[in-house]
Amino acid sequence: MPSSEQIELLATPCVTCREHHLKCDRSVPRCGRCVRASRECKLGFKFKPSKDKFDRDQKWLRAPRKLIYVDETRCVTNGSPIEDISHFEFHIDESHTRESESASSSITPPVTTNSRRRNEVGNHTVGVAQVQDPPRNHSSLSEGAPVNEFHPRGYLPRSRSAGTNDIPSLQIRDGTRVLPPVNPLSSGFHTTSALPLKNRTEALLFRHYIQRLAICLDLCDPLRHFELVVPERAGVCHTLLNAIFAIAARHLSHTTDFDPLASNRYHDECLRYLIPMLNHASTVSDENMFAATIILRMLEEMDVPTTGQDNYSHLLGIHAFVNVGDQYMVPGSLSAASFWVGLRQEIYIAVITQQPVKVSLDHFVVDRSFEPADDYTWSNRAIVLLADVLNFCFGENSFAVNRWNALDEAAQKWSTTRPMSFNPFFYRARTASLAFPEVWHGSSCHVIGIQHHILAQLFLTQFDPSIPKVGTNRRAAVKQMTHRIENLVRELCGIGVCNQWPPPSLFTACMGIAMFGDQFGERSDQEALIDILKKTEADHARPTAAIQQQLMKAWGWIPETGE
């Protein structure tokens, strides 16, 4: 017999777990998986169809002669009200209204709803979502209707007969059409693959991206989307292909004597398609465009020495893709891989500008738990921890002791529960002749995970609320803090110097140097830090000249008023 103390369970798995194909324990009021991942647990409800039959003389309300549907997708995504609905209206005339009453199939109007519905066997499950599902093909669509170029998984457009692009409309009846919004992505895709490339120079750029630059983006991705998936997608995605050419040309122009203007041409071609796309609500569900924006943001970071400033233009585009919602960011997809790269790029900006992380961390792929998982997940957990720490340090609650204690506890728990594989396979402590210890790792995800965890520890140490602001104990506390910061920075730089095969290892070390390098007083240590900054800029086209100047002024190498 069942126990009287039997735990109450939900009738169905929660919508959050079901949408991401995860097993739900159906606990009340929130399932265990959502609680451990600090995610919203959206409950599902079953509605069984009624078995009651209507009388033959049942009276039904007639639909209006003219129906107007308003597509509010872009306004909901941008968070701005509709000022003029005329641009978002979709009219269906009386003839189609009468036809739809008798037809067995209907056209789903492109409207935004507050609920997301999925048909299951014998019932309907309803759950809350932020943005409507991408449009699906229906039996009543004409052959000229837009294909699934906006699919969240970024599937390639299907081949169509000649001339179908000329009439992007829905065929309703006898020539009466309901025009959808203009599809700005149609010109961004090739009907046939551009691979193999015909131009040898572009082929060299393509190869340079795959062999030298993709690794910078695939650090914590076991599926290596930017190395394996993106080049394949670029064959048919015009914008993605030009983004690859642009980043490769810019990197070569900084590290070799390659034409410095070539990158600008490819970049301008990307912007010609990408800027109109970002104004289209459906674009945020296209992971090919998301990946292209990530690549262009990396190019933007390299352009700082040339332009003299970072405008963060493509970073704003990343925010648009990241903030759209969970339904387009399936674990293991290119969208999820792009999210993690975008988060690392956002962390760099947050560190340099000393501001909170602006990318939304309210996503299902974000995992703050300490349960057993693969090494890539553990590395991403360290990255999320650093983002949380930066939000604490540069946010409005930087003096909240309880929050600092919780983050410090999370940092310690990450160290004690992470897999043993994160331990280096060779370690040698620093000596009098070496500024940094030797730390050898075998995987890029181990390198980046450990480095981001060290950065989190550095910021927690610097913002420790227990350090006295005044009094006789302050001097000793500050001295102890400085000693710990120096040791952590040495460890961070040692990992970067000894594991240069993933280029971001040096770049991540530079973030620590930029924030905490001024606390080093020995000339030999200062010179070693400057050498890392110079090597990063020379070998990897990452701007460090401004940081070098700031540190040399802080150390007294050059006068404060010197240019």
Side-chain angles (χ1 to χ4, degrees), residues 10 12-14 17-18 22-27 31-33 41:
L10 294 172
T12 62
C14 74
C17 290
R18 186 166 56 251
L22 298 173
K23 185 176 181 180
C24 180
D25 59 15
R26 298 187 293 156
S27 298
C31 76
R33 185 179 292 275
C41 187

Side-chain angles (χ1 to χ4, degrees), residues 373-389:
D374 59 82
D375 291 358
Y376 296 93
T377 299
W378 277 97
S379 293
N380 287 329
R381 288 171 178 172
I383 293 169
V384 172
L385 174 63
L386 175 57
D388 289 337
V389 170

Side-chain angles (χ1 to χ4, degrees), residues 25-328:
D25 59 15
R26 298 187 293 156
S27 298
V28 177
R30 298 173 61 197
C31 76
R33 185 179 292 275
C34 291
V35 170
R36 289 190 295 271
S38 300
R39 311 307 315 145
E40 178 187 4
C41 187
K42 296 180 287 188
L43 304 184
F45 304 92
K46 282 189 175 182
F47 297 94
K48 295 184 178 180
S50 174
K51 296 181 180 180
D52 297 335
K53 296 182 179 180
F54 295 101
D55 297 333
R56 288 195 174 187
D57 57 351
Q58 174 70 39
K59 296 186 179 296
W60 301 98
L61 292 176
R62 287 184 57 82
R65 293 177 176 273
K66 184 178 182 181
L67 300 179
I68 301 177
Y69 296 94
V70 179
D71 183 3
E72 298 177 320
T73 308
R74 191 174 78 180
C75 301
V76 172
T77 303
N78 296 336
S80 59
I82 296 180
E83 297 179 356
D84 181 6
I85 68 171
S86 61
H87 300 292
F88 304 91
E89 292 180 355
F90 299 88
H91 299 263
I92 298 182
D93 63 1
E94 178 185 4
S95 60
H96 176 253
T97 303
R98 289 195 301 267
E99 178 182 316
S100 61
E101 293 176 357
S102 58
S104 59
S105 61
S106 63
I107 295 177
T108 303
V111 296
T112 302
T113 63
N114 291 327
S115 61
R116 185 178 185 179
R117 298 171 175 85
R118 288 187 179 180
N119 291 334
E120 295 183 353
V121 178
N123 58 72
H124 298 280
T125 303
V126 180
V128 176
Q130 294 178 341
V131 183
Q132 75 174 74
D133 282 327
R136 294 173 172 82
N137 291 334
H138 299 276
S139 59
S140 55
L141 299 184
S142 69
E143 294 180 357
V147 295
N148 55 346
E149 292 168 346
F150 303 137
H151 195 283
R153 296 300 302 273
Y155 292 134
L156 307 180
R158 299 170 185 158
S159 60
R160 289 175 280 186
S161 59
T164 56
N165 279 334
D166 299 334
I167 310 176
S169 60
L170 305 182
Q171 198 76 28
I172 301 300
R173 179 188 177 191
D174 298 329
T176 302
R177 295 169 181 154
V178 179
L179 294 177
V182 176
N183 181 0
L185 290 181
S186 59
S187 57
F189 286 86
H190 301 289
T191 55
T192 59
S193 177
L195 304 179
L197 298 170
K198 305 298 188 296
N199 185 292
R200 189 176 189 276
T201 300
E202 292 183 343
L204 290 173
L205 295 175
F206 199 77
R207 183 176 66 179
H208 184 75
Y209 164 81
I210 295 174
Q211 295 181 349
R212 293 289 305 277
L213 301 178
I215 188 175
C216 300
L217 305 172
D218 284 335
L219 296 169
C220 299
D221 181 11
L223 301 178
R224 293 152 55 196
H225 280 89
F226 281 87
E227 178 188 350
L228 303 177
V229 177
V230 166
E232 179 183 356
R233 299 269 184 92
V236 294
C237 182
H238 186 275
T239 305
L240 198 54
L241 183 61
N242 278 293
I244 289 176
F245 291 155
I247 185 67
R250 175 67 76 239
H251 186 266
L252 284 173
S253 69
H254 282 311
T255 57
T256 68
D257 58 353
F258 191 81
D259 180 9
L261 300 179
S263 178
N264 294 343
R265 294 191 290 269
Y266 294 117
H267 190 200
D268 291 344
E269 189 69 13
C270 284
L271 297 182
R272 189 162 71 91
Y273 293 111
L274 191 58
I275 291 177
M277 292 174 189
L278 291 178
N279 291 326
H280 196 285
S282 300
T283 305
V284 294
S285 66
D286 190 294
E287 58 182 7
N288 292 331
M289 297 301 105
F290 193 1
T293 306
I294 292 292
I295 294 173
L296 293 178
R297 173 56 198 164
M298 182 178 173
L299 181 149
E300 198 171 48
E301 293 171 347
M302 294 181 183
D303 273 348
V304 173
T306 303
T307 62
Q309 61 181 353
D310 192 339
N311 296 322
Y312 315 124
S313 301
H314 294 296
L315 202 63
L316 299 177
I318 293 173
H319 294 170
F321 285 100
V322 171
N323 296 335
V324 65
D326 275 337
Q327 63 268 36
Y328 299 125

Side-chain angles (χ1 to χ4, degrees), residues 472-483:
T472 57
N473 295 328
R474 174 173 170 76
R475 185 182 182 89
V478 171
K479 184 178 180 179
Q480 183 179 1
M481 177 192 73
T482 302
H483 180 70

Side-chain angles (χ1 to χ4, degrees), residues 59 158 330 349 379 413 441 478 539:
K59 296 186 179 296
R158 299 170 185 158
V330 181
I349 296 301
S379 293
K413 194 168 184 179
H441 286 281
V478 171
D539 294 351

